[in-house]
Amino acid sequence: MAFMKAMDRRIAGMTQAEEGQWSGDHFFIFLADPQPGLIDKVNGGNGSRWDVEINRTNIAIDAINKMTPKPKFVCIGGDLIDAFPGESLRTPQVNDLKAALSRLDTTIPMVVVSGNHDVGNIPTPDTMAMFNQDFGEDFYSFWSAGVFYIVVNSQYMFNDSKTQDESNIQDEWLEEQLKIAKSDSCQHAVVFMHIPLFIVDPDEEDSYFTIPKSRRMELINRYADAGIKIVFSGHYHRNGGGVWTNEDETKQVESVVSSAIGAQLGNDVAGLRVVKVTSDRISHTYYPLDGVPEHLE
């Protein structure tokens, strides 16, 4: 299996009973948007070639496999493939990506986040069923080394006009996860979502690349009230990020926006993010694929 499929809103082997205790400093890997086929489109093609993206994914997997110590897990932050549900190129893209990801050291868990290309810009029950079959459930939570991770389907937050029931179910579920995050049971709580809360400024205008302002501040406040200080996203195909702080500076939420393994839409290069977790903070560094460190302290 190339990655861990979520079932019943959890990941087998990564529950609170198994991974709920803090076990010391560690790190994990966050990478986003392998999206095989997009580079061909950017270069004027029809998306039917994706050798470059698969090669970059192989390079990333090789680099991760060489790391010592090993990361606790790898998270792919959405847009796993480029073809939308129902398009003819989707199945071969899924198969080729899974083949590349299957080369990861089998002792390192891999989890995935749903992106807009994975479920559709306006998801429907049918497109969600396709994603669930290929990749598992689209929202879930898991534990690793005493840290609580919440994975949400951000497309429901962007446009749920055809999935109102599914969106409501996620929202009710999210409220329960935020109660866990707020408790004293976890060392940290972290959110993964494909579409960023914001790129640089919490007050920036709506765009294709961010959660709409009508939902953004509500989400930020809910996350902040639960003690979540950091949210990792992709989607932008460039690096970005910023910090929201409340008026009395007692709470803050960092939006971390990571560039792509696949096509770059700015001046960044393909890479991955190493996220270090200590008892009192979470820090992160983006590395180009040819600069991923083999040894981490």
Side-chain angles (χ1 to χ4, degrees):
M1 178 62 67
F3 48 84
M4 312 287 285
K5 277 190 173 183
M7 296 182 63
D8 298 323
R9 309 300 174 199
R10 63 182 63 189
I11 296 287
M14 304 181 80
T15 65
Q16 186 172 10
E18 296 157 304
E19 287 285 338
Q21 295 297 314
W22 174 251
S23 59
D25 298 352
H26 58 275
F27 72 98
F28 67 84
I29 303 297
F30 182 79
L31 57 90
D33 301 273
Q35 209 166 337
L38 181 58
I39 291 176
D40 186 38
K41 287 182 178 178
V42 170
N43 291 332
N46 63 0
S48 61
R49 295 186 58 183
W50 48 82
D51 52 310
V52 176
E53 291 96 332
I54 296 301
N55 182 57
R56 289 180 180 177
T57 302
N58 284 327
I59 292 171
I61 296 299
D62 288 342
I64 294 168
N65 286 341
K66 292 177 182 178
M67 298 179 85
T68 55
K70 296 177 182 179
K72 286 293 184 182
F73 64 90
V74 175
C75 178
I76 305 182
D79 278 1
L80 306 165
I81 41 83
D82 184 64
F84 288 105
E87 293 184 349
S88 61
L89 295 176
R90 183 177 177 91
T91 296
Q93 287 179 3
V94 168
N95 291 340
D96 286 355
L97 179 69
K98 285 183 176 181
L101 298 180
S102 69
R103 299 173 58 255
L104 181 69
D105 184 328
T106 56
T107 65
I108 304 172
M110 177 181 287
V111 299
V112 299
V113 180
S114 62
N116 57 302
H117 279 259
D118 304 319
V119 303
N121 284 324
I122 304 177
T124 70
D126 287 343
T127 66
M128 292 313 310
M130 293 179 198
F131 176 85
N132 296 157
Q133 180 176 353
D134 285 335
F135 298 109
E137 292 178 338
D138 51 307
F139 59 92
Y140 57 93
S141 60
F142 66 94
W143 292 76
S144 180
V147 180
F148 185 49
Y149 296 91
I150 303 172
V151 178
V152 299
N153 181 348
S154 57
Q155 213 58 35
Y156 293 149
M157 300 162 177
F158 190 83
N159 189 327
D160 62 358
S161 59
K162 296 182 179 179
T163 47
Q164 191 64 61
D165 289 345
E166 292 83 353
S167 180
N168 289 340
I169 291 170
Q170 174 176 259
D171 199 57
E172 293 172 4
W173 169 88
L174 178 59
E175 194 59 33
E176 293 303 311
Q177 306 314 298
L178 295 179
K179 290 178 182 177
I180 297 172
K182 194 171 184 176
S183 71
D184 294 330
S185 59
C186 53
Q187 192 74 24
H188 303 283
V190 176
V191 170
F192 295 125
M193 53 192 290
H194 178 63
I195 300 178
L197 291 167
F198 53 90
I199 301 300
V200 176
D201 187 338
D203 293 321
E204 66 199 22
E205 294 303 313
D206 287 352
S207 76
Y208 171 80
F209 291 109
T210 61
I211 296 297
K213 292 181 75 173
S214 59
R215 292 294 311 275
R216 184 187 308 160
M217 292 314 303
E218 171 211 352
L219 271 174
I220 289 175
N221 279 288
R222 289 173 72 186
Y223 290 165
D225 288 344
I228 292 168
K229 296 182 174 64
I230 193 162
V231 179
F232 290 91
S233 302
H235 188 51
Y236 190 49
H237 292 258
R238 287 151 285 199
N239 285 310
V243 177
W244 168 89
T245 305
N246 66 344
E247 289 185 2
D248 60 7
E249 299 185 350
T250 58
K251 299 175 183 178
Q252 69 175 39
V253 176
E254 180 181 6
S255 173
V256 180
V257 184
S258 223
S259 197
I261 282 286
Q264 304 298 308
L265 299 182
N267 297 321
D268 293 296
V269 296
L272 54 78
R273 194 168 294 272
V274 175
V275 184
K276 295 184 178 181
V277 184
T278 65
S279 61
D280 60 348
R281 69 189 298 256
I282 296 176
S283 59
H284 50 89
T285 304
Y286 185 85
Y287 292 99
L289 290 180
D290 61 1
V292 178
E294 288 190 25
H295 304 282
L296 280 88
E297 295 182 0

